Amino acid sequence: MIGRLNHVAIAVPDLAAAAAQYREMLGAEVGAPQDEPDHGVTVVFITLPNTKVELLYPLGEASPIRGFLDKNPAGGIHHICYEVEDILAARDRLVEKGARILGTGEPKTGAHGKPVLFLHPKDFNGTLIELEQV
Amino acid sequence: MIGRLNHVAIAVPDLAAAAAQYREMLGAEVGAPQDEPDHGVTVVFITLPNTKVELLYPLGEASPIRGFLDKNPAGGIHHICYEVEDILAARDRLVEKGARILGTGEPKTGAHGKPVLFLHPKDFNGTLIELEQV
């Protein structure tokens, strides 16, 4: 069911510093910051040959990243995103097997403009998993 | 400098349950458990089309995963691994720019039989980064 690893998302306390670090210390291809007000984050995309890393920084008071950074002031890996072909079929399979979907259980439009769902980290080894339909 | 994302490593409290979950709930290609006594872990490899996920479980009393699971009993993402072409050149560049290498600073032979180094998570947004020469 799951396909490619679409991205690894890392919440960071200083977006400019983290972007500079990936560019200058790690020598990666680092994009410009993009505000995603609908998702409460500013994102910097790091393009690797086979996948992406997304650096996340809170945007607005209701940002879903703010609480994570309060608990992890140095930052940390926030979630990983797996691609699926059919997000409703994926959801139904997961729910049938006992997994919990965060929120309403209905897909939302994610930061890449595609339908996404998040799975409950307590059901998946403490790992927040995003599923994105591609 | 950094190339492909070689793998995402997830520490899990129950390796058989986590492997079954990735196989049956998430429909992924899941390998058999492999003991890596030199690294203090038992590993299950999950092969995705573009990268790997490694499920890690402590092996032996000195396992580097045990403390992580004590702090994170449900499990969690333990590290991410980026590929580099020349690990000594990568290390020298990082040290010159102020990053700290864990341990002696000399590469060890990693779980895939290739030279690896780990970077200090406090220098990299709370993220433990493994570099593997490929």
Side-chain angles (χ1 to χ4, degrees), chain A:
Chain A
M1 184 175 80
I2 57 171
R4 297 173 73 257
L5 178 77
N6 186 275
H7 61 268
V8 176
I10 302 175
V12 303
D14 182 333
L15 189 58
Q21 185 183 56
Y22 265 84
R23 186 183 291 115
E24 288 154 29
M25 290 182 88
L26 293 170
E29 183 186 334
V30 177
Q34 298 179 24
D35 288 346
E36 303 269 3
D38 289 351
H39 300 95
V41 291
T42 302
V43 183
V44 165
F45 291 96
I46 296 166
T47 305
L48 302 179
N50 61 333
T51 188
K52 284 175 297 192
V53 173
E54 297 185 9
L55 304 178
L56 303 181
Y57 185 79
L59 178 65
E61 285 308 309
S63 171
I65 304 302
R66 200 169 293 277
F68 182 88
L69 283 173
D70 286 345
K71 281 186 213 152
N72 304 276
I77 299 175
H78 184 264
H79 68 266
I80 52 177
C81 176
Y82 298 129
E83 297 179 356
V84 294
E85 288 189 7
D86 181 333
I87 201 160
L88 293 177
R91 175 197 63 186
D92 292 349
R93 170 180 171 146
L94 287 161
V95 169
E96 185 199 325
K97 291 177 185 288
R100 289 171 288 176
I101 311 296
L102 294 186
T104 63
E106 295 304 316
K108 291 188 179 180
T109 301
H112 311 129
K114 295 176 177 169
V116 302
L117 284 174
F118 284 88
L119 309 183
H120 200 305
K122 289 207 176 150
D123 296 340
F124 290 92
N125 310 295
T127 304
L128 180 59
I129 294 176
E130 180 179 17
L131 298 180
E132 179 174 308
Q133 179 170 299
V134 291

Side-chain angles (χ1 to χ4, degrees), chain B residues 12 17 21 23 29 47 87 89 95 103 115 118 127 129:
Chain B
V12 303
Q21 185 183 55
R23 186 182 290 114
E29 183 185 332
T47 305
I87 202 158
V95 169
F118 285 88
T127 304
I129 294 177

